[in-house]
Each structure stands twice: as structure tokens, then as C-alpha cells.
Amino acid sequence: MIARLLGKPKQEANALATLDKLNETLEMLEKKEGVLQKKASAEVEKAKEYTKAKNKRAAIQCLKRKRLYEEQIGQLANFQLRIHDQVIMLEGAKATTETVDALRSGAAAMKAMQKVTNIDDVDKTMDEINEQTENMKQIQEALATPIGAAADFDEDELEAELEELEGAELEEQLLQPATTAPAASVQVPSGRVPTRPAPQKRTQEEDELAALQAEMAL
């Protein structure tokens, strides 16, 4: 494992250096091809000039040199094609290697995490959580249980008593007389102050009803 880790940077450096070398060679071939193209074009121009001067022999020599340049250009094109092929293959191999290394690192990390946390530890932890949850639930139920005098109260009797109080209040409301329309205002001669009617004294039943309503409001 250590040898693999130590050898990985060296392999990557070698791959990058090879790609750089191939790209440099490709650039050199392209420049050389451009030079030969210019030379071939120049020989064509010379052949035209010799043809105009009726120097057929010199014109043919120019065309021969042009053919030689064109052959070299063809060779350079083949060289460039081979280098392009090598670059593509090397880049593909580099991408494949990096992908495999990434997958290998992921598998190693997953294996390490599984060693730290195994299924037995997970089951034990879940059992402890469930046990603590059940204990807390029992504690809350125990705290919610009424104690002392409140534990002796009968909920059904309390409900029945509450219904009786509500029925009595409704009955009292039905027995109360309907409110009468307000009396017409009486015109009082000027100079006299109208006398207010004396407030009626509340009966004992009305006092009891008011006390009951106040108690119900609490």
C-alpha cells in the first residue's frame, strides 16, 4: 500500500511529462509543415517565372523540388496523426487510472468506516435508545398520575355536577322576563329637573342568581 502511494505521484509525473513531450513534438511538426508549404509555394512561383522566360529545364527542376517538399509534408502529416493518436490514448489511460484510483480510495474509506462502526454496535445503540425512551415514557406517566385527595375524585360525578350547573343556568336565563322597549321621553317644563326613578331593590333570588353566575365565570 505504501509503495503504491509513493509510486502514484511518480506515475502521474511521468504521464504528464510524456503528454508535454508529445505536444511539443506536435507543435514542432506543425511549424515544419508550414515552412515546407511556403517552400513548395515558392517553387511553384519560380516555375511560372521560368516558364514565362522559356526556360523549361529550370521550370521542371522547380516542380521536382515542389514534389519533394509535398512528400515531406505528407510524411509530417502522418507523423502528426500518429502523435495525435498517442495523445488521445494516453489521456484516456490517464483518465481511466484516475477513475480507478478514486474508486479504490472510496472503497478503502468505506471499509475503514465499517471497521469503526459495525452492525453489532448499531444494534446495541438502537436498543439503548429504545430502552431510554421507554423509561422516560414511564416516568412521564407516573408524574401525570394524580396523587392525594385529587386521586379520589370521581370524574363521572364531576361531569354530572357540571351538567347540572349548566342546566340550571340555562333555565334561569329562560325564566327571565323579556327586556321591554325603552319608555318614551317625557318633556319636562323648563326650570324643573326631572326626577330619576328610585332603583328597585334586588330580590334574594336575583342575588343568588348573580352569585351563581359569578361562580360559573370562575
Side-chain angles (χ1 to χ4, degrees):
M1 183 66 181
I2 297 176
R4 183 186 303 170
L5 293 175
L6 293 176
K8 182 179 177 182
K10 185 176 181 181
Q11 293 176 358
E12 291 182 353
N14 291 335
L16 293 175
T18 303
L19 284 173
D20 291 339
K21 182 64 177 178
L22 290 173
N23 289 324
E24 290 176 0
T25 304
L26 185 61
E27 184 179 356
M28 180 270 296
L29 292 174
E30 290 175 351
K31 290 180 179 179
K32 191 171 184 179
E33 182 182 0
V35 173
L36 292 175
Q37 288 283 3
K38 291 180 180 180
K39 290 183 177 182
S41 300
E43 293 297 332
V44 172
E45 294 297 328
K46 290 180 181 179
K48 290 180 181 180
E49 293 177 358
Y50 286 132
T51 301
K52 292 179 181 179
K54 304 300 181 180
N55 190 347
K56 184 177 180 180
R57 183 181 181 84
I60 290 175
Q61 291 297 324
C62 290
L63 293 178
K64 287 181 179 180
R65 287 192 295 269
K66 180 185 75 73
R67 293 283 182 87
L68 293 175
Y69 290 143
E70 288 177 348
E71 288 180 0
Q72 291 182 9
I73 291 172
Q75 291 177 357
L76 293 178
N78 290 332
F79 294 159
Q80 293 178 44
L81 182 61
R82 289 177 179 272
I83 291 177
H84 276 298
D85 186 33
Q86 287 292 321
V87 170
I88 292 173
M89 292 180 62
L90 188 58
E91 288 178 347
K94 183 175 180 294
T96 301
T97 302
E98 291 176 351
T99 302
V100 173
D101 289 340
L103 293 174
R104 187 182 293 112
S105 299
M110 183 67 69
K111 186 176 181 180
M113 287 188 292
Q114 289 178 354
K115 287 182 178 179
V116 174
T117 306
N118 55 35
I119 187 63
D120 295 334
D121 293 336
V122 174
D123 291 339
K124 182 179 179 180
T125 302
M126 294 305 299
D127 292 339
E128 291 177 355
I129 293 174
N130 292 331
E131 182 179 357
Q132 294 299 327
T133 302
E134 185 64 26
N135 292 338
M136 183 58 65
K137 183 179 179 181
Q138 293 177 0
I139 292 172
Q140 292 176 350
E141 291 178 352
L143 293 175
T145 303
I147 58 176
D152 298 331
F153 292 155
D154 190 344
E155 294 292 336
D156 294 335
E157 292 181 358
L158 294 174
E159 291 288 343
E161 184 177 355
L162 180 61
E163 291 179 359
E164 291 179 359
L165 292 175
E166 291 176 349
E169 182 180 2
L170 179 60
E171 183 178 357
E172 291 291 340
Q173 293 177 356
L174 294 175
L175 293 177
Q176 288 181 358
T179 57
T180 58
S185 59
V186 179
Q187 295 182 355
V188 180
S190 59
R192 293 185 179 181
V193 179
T195 58
R196 295 183 179 179
Q200 296 180 357
K201 187 177 180 181
R202 296 173 61 177
T203 62
Q204 182 178 1
E205 293 180 354
E206 291 177 345
D207 293 338
E208 293 178 355
L209 178 60
L212 180 59
Q213 290 177 346
E215 183 178 356
M216 290 297 296
L218 295 177

